[in-house]
Amino acid sequence: MNMDKCSDEFPTTDVFYSEISEDVPTIVSLAIASVLAISSIAIYVEELFFIHKHYQTGDQRAWKITVLLGLYPVICIMSLIAVMVPTSFTLMALITACYISFCIYIFIMMTIECYGGPDKMIETLANDKVALATPPCCCFLFCILKPIKLTRKSLKMFEVLAMQVMVVRPVVLFIAAVLWTDGRYNVKVSVDEPYVYITVVSTISTLLSMYGLIVIFGASRLHLKHYHLTLKFISLQVVIILVELQRLVFSILAERDIPECIGSRGSRVRGESLYNALLVVETFIMCLLARKGYRTQSSDSDEKLENIFVATINTETHDARANQIL
C-alpha cells in the first residue's frame, strides 16, 4: 500500500514499519516505550501481590485500590499500541477515557469512605469552609465564589460534577470512533470537522470533573492527611491533565506543521505518535508516584496505609460482634 508524502492519513502497520526500518531514533523510542510499558505491568503485578497479602478477602477498599493502580499500566499499554498500530489511536483513546472516568468515580467513593460515609464526612467538615474558587474552572472567581459550608446537597453537587465525565466522555468518544470507522473523523482544528466539537465537549466535561474532584480533595486534604491522599490525588490528576492537555497541544502544533513530516507521515500523524510515546513515559513516572502513595508509611505510626485500612475493618468487626453479645 502506497501513501502520499506527508499525508494526514494514519498509516497501516505494513507502511509504518517499512518507513521506520532504518529510522534509528524511532526504533529506539519504541524500544524504550515498550520497556516502560512492560515495567508498569510488572509493578502492577507486584502491587497486586502486596494488596492480596495485606487485605482481607472481600475488602471493598482492596478492589478500589486495584482499579486505581491499574490506571497506569492500562494507559501505558493503550498508548504503546497507538504508537505501534497508528490506525488504532481512536479506539485506544476511547478505552483510556472510559478507564479514567471510572477511576475518578472510584477515587471519590474511596475518599468519602475514608471518612466513614457521606454523613461522617459532612460531620467532620461541619466547622470548615470549602473553597469554591479553585482551578481549573473558577480560580479567577474568588470575589464571587465565597467559601461555603459543606452540606449533603452541595456534596452531591460536587459528586455529580466529578462523575458526569463517566458518561459524557465515553459517549462523545464512542461517537468519534463511529465517525472514524466511516472516515469522517479527522484530527484537524477546523469548524467543519467533528473533531473540534467532540474535543470541546470532552474538554469541558473533563474540566468540570476536575473542578468537582479538586473541591472534594481540597476539603479533605488535611483531614485525611494520614491516608496520604495528596500523593494519590496528584498521581491521578496529573495523568488526567496529561491525557487531555497534551493531545490538544499536539493538535494545535500540527496546524503549524510541527513536528515536520517524515515520509508519508504528516505532522498530525507524527504528533499523535509523539503524544502517545510521551504519555507512556509520563504515565510510568506517575505509576511510581502512585505506588509510593499507596504504600508510604504513615507519619503517625509504623503501619502502612493498607494495614491501617485492615485494622479499621477488624476494629469495626470486633465492635459489631461485641454489640451482638451485649
Side-chain angles (χ1 to χ4, degrees):
M1 177 180 178
N2 295 321
M3 294 183 64
D4 296 332
K5 183 177 176 61
C6 297
S7 173
D8 286 335
E9 182 181 349
F10 285 80
T12 57
T13 51
D14 54 344
V15 174
F16 177 64
Y17 286 108
S18 65
E19 284 194 357
I20 69 168
S21 58
E22 297 181 359
D23 188 348
V24 177
T26 301
I27 294 174
V28 171
S29 298
L30 284 175
I32 293 174
S34 300
V35 170
L36 293 179
I38 293 172
S39 298
S40 70
I41 295 175
I43 291 171
Y44 182 61
V45 171
E46 186 270 338
E47 289 167 342
L48 291 180
F49 280 109
F50 184 87
I51 292 170
H52 178 73
K53 179 180 178 181
H54 291 84
Y55 277 91
Q56 293 180 337
T57 303
D59 186 354
Q60 291 297 308
R61 288 192 180 98
W63 80 264
K64 287 183 174 67
I65 292 175
T66 299
V67 171
L68 289 170
L69 289 174
L71 174 66
Y72 310 97
V74 166
I75 293 181
C76 280
I77 294 302
M78 295 304 104
S79 299
L80 181 63
I81 293 174
V83 173
M84 293 188 164
V85 186
T87 53
S88 69
F89 79 99
T90 301
L91 177 60
M92 298 304 106
L94 175 60
I95 295 173
T96 298
C98 291
Y99 201 102
I100 289 176
S101 301
F102 187 56
C103 284
I104 291 173
Y105 167 76
I106 293 296
F107 184 84
I108 292 174
M109 290 298 98
M110 190 177 71
T111 300
I112 294 174
E113 284 178 7
C114 285
Y115 283 99
D119 293 333
K120 288 287 186 181
M121 180 177 180
I122 293 171
E123 181 182 338
T124 303
L125 299 174
N127 298 321
D128 295 352
K129 291 291 187 69
V130 178
L132 299 183
T134 63
C137 300
C138 302
C139 55
F140 54 90
L141 298 177
F142 58 89
C143 293
I144 302 174
L145 296 176
K146 302 297 183 180
I148 63 170
K149 285 189 175 182
L150 193 68
T151 62
R152 177 172 286 277
K153 184 177 180 180
S154 59
L155 176 60
K156 181 61 65 176
M157 180 187 69
F158 295 131
E159 286 182 33
V160 170
L161 280 176
M163 294 178 186
Q164 50 77 30
V165 75
M166 278 191 66
V167 177
V168 176
R169 287 199 67 221
V171 168
V172 296
L173 287 173
F174 176 76
I175 294 172
V178 172
L179 292 172
W180 171 67
T181 59
D182 194 38
R184 299 188 180 186
Y185 186 73
N186 300 308
V187 186
K188 294 181 179 179
V189 182
S190 171
V191 293
D192 298 327
E193 294 293 339
Y195 168 78
V196 174
Y197 304 102
I198 288 173
T199 300
V200 169
V201 173
S202 179
T203 301
I204 292 174
S205 175
T206 302
L207 290 175
L208 290 175
S209 178
M210 287 170 59
Y211 176 72
L213 192 61
I214 288 172
V215 170
I216 293 175
F217 163 73
S220 307
R221 182 176 53 190
L222 296 178
H223 293 281
L224 300 180
K225 183 179 180 181
H226 54 293
Y227 287 132
H228 306 285
L229 192 66
T230 299
L231 282 177
K232 295 179 177 64
F233 174 78
I234 289 174
S235 57
L236 174 62
Q237 191 76 354
V238 170
V239 166
I240 296 172
I241 293 171
L242 291 173
V243 169
E244 287 300 312
L245 183 60
Q246 283 189 157
R247 184 182 294 276
L248 181 61
V249 169
F250 275 105
S251 296
I252 294 173
L253 289 176
E255 289 294 316
R256 292 160 175 75
D257 297 324
I258 302 172
E260 62 182 10
C261 73
I262 296 179
S264 67
R265 290 170 290 150
S267 297
R268 300 187 190 285
V269 177
R270 291 201 63 221
E272 184 69 25
S273 181
L274 287 173
Y275 158 75
N276 283 290
L278 273 175
L279 206 54
V280 173
V281 178
E282 294 158 347
T283 306
F284 177 76
I285 295 173
M286 290 301 105
C287 171
L288 299 177
L289 183 63
R291 182 180 183 276
K292 180 177 176 62
Y294 285 94
R295 298 182 65 165
T296 301
Q297 290 184 334
S298 172
S299 58
D300 300 325
S301 69
D302 293 330
E303 291 183 305
K304 289 182 175 10
L305 175 60
E306 288 79 3
N307 289 335
I308 293 174
F309 284 155
V310 173
T312 302
I313 293 170
N314 289 339
T315 301
E316 292 173 353
T317 303
H318 176 76
D319 292 343
R321 290 175 179 172
N323 289 334
Q324 288 177 354
I325 294 173
L326 292 174

